[in-house]
Amino acid sequence: MKPILNEKNQVVAYEHQPNANRRELRSKSNGLLAYYDKNTNRTFDAQNRNAGAGDQTQTFIPRA
């Protein structure tokens, strides 16, 4: 898993790619925040609701 850092160089989330068609954004406690499906070119939130076309996972990165 690739760490995502904030402006203070602290880890706020992780990017994880479990397979070739899905990229996930996970919290520090490994909870799912959002995922991007390459087959449909859509982003979904943790409750599996459509969050938009294309890769929108950056909007789910925590600011803390």
Side-chain angles (χ1 to χ4, degrees):
M1 291 201 305
K2 177 182 152 192
I4 298 174
L5 307 174
N6 65 6
E7 59 277 348
K8 296 177 184 174
N9 245 8
Q10 299 168 324
V11 175
V12 292
Y14 293 96
E15 186 179 297
H16 177 58
Q17 190 162 352
N19 60 49
N21 297 320
R22 180 172 166 145
R23 188 171 67 245
E24 299 175 341
L25 180 67
R26 296 200 163 263
S27 67
K28 291 193 304 185
S29 62
N30 206 27
L32 182 66
L33 297 172
Y35 69 91
Y36 169 66
D37 185 352
K38 292 181 184 177
N39 288 333
T40 60
N41 194 29
R42 305 297 266 170
T43 300
F44 298 90
D45 67 3
Q47 286 77 37
N48 213 25
R49 293 182 298 221
N50 190 344
D55 187 1
Q56 305 272 331
T57 55
Q58 71 278 1
T59 59
F60 292 93
I61 297 174
R63 300 290 173 224

